[in-house]
Amino acid sequence: MRLSTTIFLTDRTVTPVRLARELEQRGFAGLYLPEHTHIPVERTTPYPMGGELPDEYGRTLDPFVALGQAAAVTDTLTLGTGITLIAQHDPIDLAKQIATLDHLSGSRFTLGLGFGWNREEAADHGVEWTRRREEGRDRMALMRALWAAEPTAYEGEFGSVRASRAYPKPRGGDVRTLIGGAAGPKLFAQIAEYADGWLPIGGGGLSGSMPVLRQVWEDAGRDPAALQVVPYAVQPTSGKLAHYAELGIEEVVLQLPSSDEESVLKVLDAYAPHLR
């Protein structure tokens, strides 16, 4: 089982370069980064985990810039977003960012995408909240048109692009794509339609939800062996990781604290026994 990590990197935490080097040297498989462009002060949307919204949500580094730094100082560490709020992006710009990072990293990039929880943040990006999933699907289709081997036009409900020369391209014309979110029919249908798998946040309840997702996946005509489920932002225990292994899970993303270098390295030391 591959053990990757995620962290809210901010202007106050360990740097991407220092963390990436430590992760690769210690044998961790990957680094996934979240994103929030901003957190409106006047916010009525409740924090999904309850209580006050942690300060790091309003201080996150841009994940693509930070992952670019990580790519430059590593050779094998996989690099991903967890998650890219896809409806909040211009898809032409995002396609270029993804393809460039994948190219420069030697095809080590995973696109973890999702649809968000903060209505006010999304509204500032012009996202129609009730249709953000449809907008995300449209964004993904437009990006894949730009990544196609030959110039390919795309005309969608939320955006379009002319047949264009657009390089670099991800290896094979696509990147590994995982969708994050809570289990449910809408999410599972979208995973089966256009993704490679699921990022279940926290990693709970998979014994019940994975068979449902597998059925939706197979009903969509997808290869049963190709489905990837990657528990995300997990606080690890030996029992929990053994349970994931029994479910056939091949990668788990462990949560690191949004903290200074010394504190983060102590947690990596504590996680080290799980690497054996």
Side-chain angles (χ1 to χ4, degrees):
M1 179 183 290
R2 302 188 307 277
L3 295 183
S4 298
T5 60
T6 185
I7 181 174
F8 277 86
L9 287 179
T10 76
D11 55 328
R12 295 176 172 175
T13 65
V14 61
T15 67
V17 166
R18 182 76 171 107
L19 177 59
R21 284 175 169 156
E22 286 288 337
L23 290 172
E24 185 163 272
Q25 289 170 6
R26 291 163 183 256
F28 287 91
L31 172 63
Y32 292 74
L33 297 180
E35 77 164 348
H36 284 281
T37 53
H38 66 299
I39 300 295
V41 174
E42 295 183 4
R43 179 175 55 84
T44 60
T45 308
Y47 176 43
M49 305 301 291
E52 292 297 316
L53 183 69
D55 182 62
E56 57 261 31
Y57 277 75
R59 308 190 76 100
T60 53
L61 302 184
D62 180 283
F64 291 96
V65 176
L67 290 171
Q69 284 200 331
V73 297
T74 57
D75 296 310
T76 61
L77 190 75
T78 60
L79 310 161
T81 52
I83 58 170
T84 294
L85 297 166
I86 188 168
Q88 296 181 187
H89 285 267
D90 178 297
I92 299 174
D93 287 341
L94 184 59
K96 177 66 77 173
Q97 288 177 285
I98 291 170
T100 300
L101 181 54
D102 190 66
H103 170 72
L104 293 177
S105 67
S107 298
R108 287 186 277 152
F109 181 68
T110 292
L111 174 63
L113 67 86
F115 310 106
W117 57 269
N118 190 333
R119 289 173 179 258
E120 288 78 19
E121 178 184 359
D124 285 347
H125 286 281
V127 175
E128 184 180 349
W129 185 254
T130 59
R131 306 209 63 207
R132 68 195 188 282
R133 294 177 185 273
E134 291 78 10
E135 193 165 352
R137 180 198 294 112
D138 198 68
R139 296 270 193 268
M140 197 71 218
L142 190 153
M143 292 195 298
R144 284 175 168 155
L146 288 168
W147 296 335
E150 299 296 332
T152 302
Y154 177 78
E155 184 72 37
E157 182 179 359
F158 297 93
S160 62
V161 67
R162 296 173 175 84
S164 303
R165 291 185 294 276
Y167 291 86
K169 297 184 185 295
R171 182 178 297 176
D174 207 349
V175 294
R176 180 188 187 218
T177 301
L178 306 173
I179 301 182
K186 289 183 179 180
L187 183 77
F188 287 176
Q190 290 207 308
I191 291 170
E193 180 184 353
Y194 65 86
D196 298 304
W198 180 29
L199 285 174
I201 312 302
L206 295 184
S207 296
S209 56
M210 281 184 62
V212 178
L213 174 57
R214 283 198 185 100
Q215 188 62 58
V216 174
W217 181 268
E218 292 178 26
D219 288 347
R222 304 291 299 272
D223 178 0
L227 176 61
Q228 301 174 48
V229 176
V230 181
Y232 191 82
V234 170
Q235 300 290 342
T237 66
S238 296
K240 188 182 293 185
L241 295 178
H243 174 61
Y244 292 152
E246 291 171 357
L247 293 173
I249 287 168
E250 298 180 354
E251 181 184 11
V252 178
V253 181
L254 310 183
Q255 181 69 60
L256 294 174
S258 180
S259 193
D260 58 69
E261 180 178 315
E262 181 180 2
S263 299
V264 171
L265 294 186
K266 285 181 179 178
V267 174
L268 291 180
D269 289 338
Y271 286 171
H274 299 301
L275 292 168
R276 302 189 184 117

